[in-house]
Amino acid sequence: MSNIFFNKFKNVFFILLLLQLSCQVSSEKKQKTETDNFRFMELGIAELQQGFKDGTYTIKEVVEAYLKRIEEIDRSGPTLNSIIQINPDAIKNAEQLDLEMAQGNIRGPLHGIPILLKDNIDTHDKMATTSGSRALLNSYPLRDSHVAKQLKEGGAIIIGKANLSEWANFRGELSSSGWSGVGGQTKNPYILDRNPCGSSSGSAVAVAANLSMLAIGTETNGSIVCPSNNNGIVGIKPTVGLVSRSGVIPISYTQDTPGPMARTVLDAAICLGVLTGIDPADEKTLASKGKFYKDYTQFLREDGLKGKRIGFYQTPLGKNYKVDTLMSKAVAFMKLQGAEIIDINEISSADVGGYSFQVMLYEYKDGLNKYFRSLGPNAAIKSLEELIAFNRNDSIELKFYNQKYLEMAQEKGDLNDEAYQEALANMLKGSREEGIDRIMNLHHLDAIIAPTGSPAWKTDLINGDSFQLGSSSPAARAGYPNITVPMGFVDELPVGISFFGSAWSEPVLLEIAYAYEQGTKHRKAPKFLGPE
């Protein structure tokens, strides 16, 4: 009897095991289908628009496909949390653009292209602009930001708002990049428990995961290039003043800039041309007169490295030998393509970082208070002081980290303070004429290169971020351009290389970055791997 019972039990056990394995395989197959079998996977702007032109698909079909993928991957499946809100008028807007195209009316270079905006960029529509803060959950700006206006005029469809490090990662100590009170923690699509970096976390993740063709991020110091590094995409941090900041929730008037994030240099260059131009509401853009272009694709050449003199910034080296190895290979490739590489040990000897921090605190208070006033008399938050009070009384906002930087900014005086004026002058002098400009002129350089960052660290909401290395500060503090491009992988995690230089040098930086990208082709779509 015992043998009969055992055999029956064994048969039942194997049947249950087979059923479990079948369900597991079915679930894995379903997730693989959702993440891999996407009709528009890794397509670029030109390919998508050719499909519109030859009637292979409509703009409405493309937008519907991206929205479906967002539902399957961002809201469920790997649950990336890269997008805070979807534009409820996205389909209606797509239908309008289809109609215009049928009538022979092409708005611009981005006609029919899906794009996400970081949720600190104003749109005057049915979407709030929150900066990730619960204090602004129901904040609806009175007008479009200049960036949103330019994109719409260029034909882009804003399909939603991307999650971000709350208040662009300048709120308090021990923050985790990609976390906001509104959107929660954004995940890295390459390995899900790894960090996406910030503050333009959702913008980078969405582009990397093919949830959007393009995204707009913003940077004060590293917030475009670092998430681009961690998520294997191209990011352009333009010269401050090349792209308007009006309608963008600010940190620093001197350092802030929006910029495009894409899977290729070509797509990022197309988007950049749509964003440029003078905006009377942002005085910094007046300096771009005669220096901006509406078409940056004219500078993209596969032999763009030939004859270039490039400085190799050494300071980020020695912190991660795996990144150093990839950088050595990148330098060797550039030399083979005809570039001359000059080692640069130091860009500035001044305490530029200390001055920059003081400038940011002063300008943060001034900028936030002006932004809150722009929301009108019915705004839920009317001042930095009210924001601080809201956070203290909220059950979620201060759960993981504090608001020390907001409180420090509140204690500062106005922009007439001698301490602010002195810090600003010293920062600009140390980062520009005694920094990048001096190095570029001394060595007759076309650009400077450095590793953008390290492979993504594990997300840790208790201890915060674990930055290992970076190279964004010299260009960020000077207000000069910086472009990051995929440089390779450390195991399954991407790493980028940065190209930066003097003011308004986007054309030559794009030329060099494009030549490097086309000669190496390091971009690979993420696999949504589980925790290691």
Side-chain angles (χ1 to χ4, degrees):
M1 287 292 293
S2 60
N3 285 338
I4 294 172
F5 175 79
F6 176 76
N7 288 333
K8 284 183 178 179
F9 176 80
K10 185 168 67 174
N11 290 337
V12 170
F13 174 79
F14 280 120
I15 289 170
L16 290 172
L17 181 62
L18 286 170
L19 284 171
Q20 182 180 352
L21 289 172
S22 175
C23 289
Q24 184 176 331
V25 169
S26 175
S27 175
E28 289 175 355
K29 186 176 180 181
K30 181 175 183 289
Q31 179 160 319
K32 187 173 179 62
T33 298
E34 290 171 350
T35 56
D36 292 349
N37 293 350
F38 180 53
R39 187 179 182 187
F40 307 108
M41 181 71 95
E42 296 290 293
L43 254 60
I45 292 171
E47 296 165 293
L48 199 63
Q49 290 181 333
Q50 184 59 45
F52 299 150
K53 186 177 179 180
D54 62 26
T56 305
Y57 34 75
T58 65
I59 298 169
K60 180 183 179 183
E61 286 173 340
V62 168
V63 171
E64 286 176 335
Y66 274 103
L67 294 181
K68 182 174 183 288
R69 185 169 171 83
I70 289 169
E71 186 61 36
E72 292 173 341
I73 292 175
D74 203 64
R75 305 290 170 86
S76 55
T79 319
L80 299 176
N81 287 337
S82 69
I83 297 166
I84 281 182
Q85 53 192 321
I86 295 296
N87 185 352
D89 290 329
I91 300 297
K92 184 180 78 173
N93 294 343
E95 291 173 338
Q96 176 61 33
L97 287 166
D98 272 325
L99 178 63
E100 292 177 20
M101 180 174 282
Q103 296 171 343
N105 177 22
I106 304 299
R107 291 191 191 181
L110 296 180
H111 194 98
I113 301 302
I115 191 166
L116 289 162
L117 303 189
K118 184 177 180 179
D119 199 20
N120 62 346
I121 302 174
D122 285 354
T123 53
H124 183 54
D125 50 25
K126 295 173 184 174
M127 292 187 290
T129 300
T130 71
S131 201
S133 170
R134 288 162 56 82
L136 298 185
L137 260 174
N138 296 304
S139 181
Y140 293 89
L142 303 180
R143 62 191 65 86
D144 273 337
S145 61
H146 192 74
V147 163
K149 177 175 172 287
Q150 296 277 83
L151 290 169
K152 290 176 182 178
E153 290 175 355
I157 300 180
I158 300 170
I159 61 172
K161 296 287 193 74
N163 199 12
L164 67 160
S165 308
E166 188 175 307
W167 294 108
N169 225 2
F170 199 57
R171 198 197 77 183
E173 301 166 306
L174 301 182
S175 66
S176 172
S177 288
W179 182 88
S180 74
V182 176
Q185 178 65 54
T186 301
K187 300 175 187 176
N188 188 304
Y190 286 88
I191 301 178
L192 298 174
D193 67 343
R194 295 278 168 169
N195 196 270
C197 198
S199 63
S200 306
S201 314
S203 298
V205 169
V207 169
N210 284 263
L211 305 180
S212 179
M213 184 154 285
L214 295 168
I216 304 299
T218 66
E219 175 162 328
T220 306
N221 188 340
S223 289
I224 288 175
V225 296
C226 185
S228 297
N229 172 86
N230 282 29
N231 295 282
I233 65 167
V234 174
I236 300 179
K237 197 284 289 189
T239 303
V240 172
L242 189 67
V243 178
S244 170
R245 292 88 50 83
S246 63
V248 178
I249 298 177
I251 293 177
S252 168
Y253 176 74
T254 304
Q255 294 182 212
D256 290 350
T257 179
M261 304 172 80
R263 289 185 289 273
T264 65
V265 173
L266 174 59
D267 283 0
I270 293 170
C271 186
L272 180 63
V274 172
L275 299 175
T276 60
I278 294 171
D279 173 16
D282 182 355
E283 290 184 2
K284 287 280 188 184
T285 64
L286 299 177
S288 73
K289 185 177 181 180
K291 300 182 180 76
F292 72 85
Y293 297 86
K294 298 309 291 182
D295 178 13
Y296 283 89
T297 65
Q298 63 183 300
F299 303 109
L300 307 184
R301 295 172 41 229
E302 291 191 13
D303 64 348
L305 280 160
K306 188 175 181 180
K308 297 295 191 295
R309 288 178 57 85
I310 299 174
F312 180 10
Y313 182 39
Q314 304 285 298
T315 299
L317 302 180
K319 299 175 177 67
N320 186 314
Y321 76 88
K322 297 177 182 180
V323 174
D324 294 351
T325 299
L326 290 176
M327 195 68 199
S328 295
K329 291 178 180 178
V331 167
F333 170 79
M334 291 182 206
K335 288 179 178 178
L336 285 174
Q337 297 301 304
E340 186 177 355
I341 308 296
I342 298 93
D343 288 350
I344 304 296
N345 293 318
E346 186 180 67
I347 290 179
S348 177
S349 58
D351 178 24
V352 180
Y355 296 132
S356 173
F357 185 65
Q358 292 305 311
V359 168
M360 288 166 67
L361 290 173
Y362 273 99
E363 294 183 348
Y364 202 25
K365 178 182 182 179
D366 178 75
L368 280 181
N369 283 330
K370 285 176 179 174
Y371 177 78
F372 293 138
R373 287 196 293 272
S374 79
L375 299 174
N378 297 322
I381 299 293
K382 295 181 173 61
S383 68
L384 174 56
E385 185 176 15
E386 286 189 11
L387 172 62
I388 291 169
F390 175 93
N391 289 339
R392 285 175 181 155
N393 294 316
D394 188 80
S395 62
I396 292 175
E397 286 294 347
L398 302 184
K399 183 177 181 181
F400 298 114
Y401 69 104
N402 64 23
Q403 56 177 340
K404 184 174 181 178
Y405 304 145
L406 293 178
E407 293 166 348
M408 291 174 72
Q410 176 62 21
E411 293 171 2
K412 295 296 183 184
D414 62 29
L415 300 189
N416 293 314
D417 275 12
E418 185 178 339
Y420 164 71
Q421 296 289 343
E422 183 178 338
L424 178 61
N426 286 331
M427 181 187 79
L428 294 180
K429 183 180 180 181
S431 61
R432 293 179 179 179
E433 56 257 45
E434 293 182 0
I436 290 177
D437 292 340
R438 179 183 65 85
I439 290 294
M440 299 286 289
N441 293 330
L442 179 65
H443 298 285
H444 307 288
L445 300 178
D446 295 292
I448 299 172
I449 57 171
T452 308
S454 64
W457 56 92
K458 287 191 176 183
T459 294
D460 185 345
L461 288 168
I462 296 174
N463 295 306
D465 289 330
S466 298
F467 289 106
Q468 194 171 66
L469 65 95
S471 59
S472 65
S473 291
R477 292 162 181 164
Y480 289 175
N482 192 356
I483 301 173
T484 183
V485 173
M487 181 173 66
F489 283 77
V490 174
D491 296 324
E492 294 290 339
L493 293 167
V495 173
I497 180 173
S498 285
F499 303 85
F500 57 98
S502 56
W504 320 112
S505 64
E506 282 83 358
V508 70
L509 296 181
L510 282 165
E511 180 186 6
I512 293 169
Y514 180 76
Y516 175 78
E517 174 201 50
Q518 293 301 301
T520 57
K521 302 275 189 173
H522 288 301
R523 160 73 190 168
K524 289 191 301 186
K527 298 177 183 177
F528 309 95
L529 300 176
E532 295 172 319

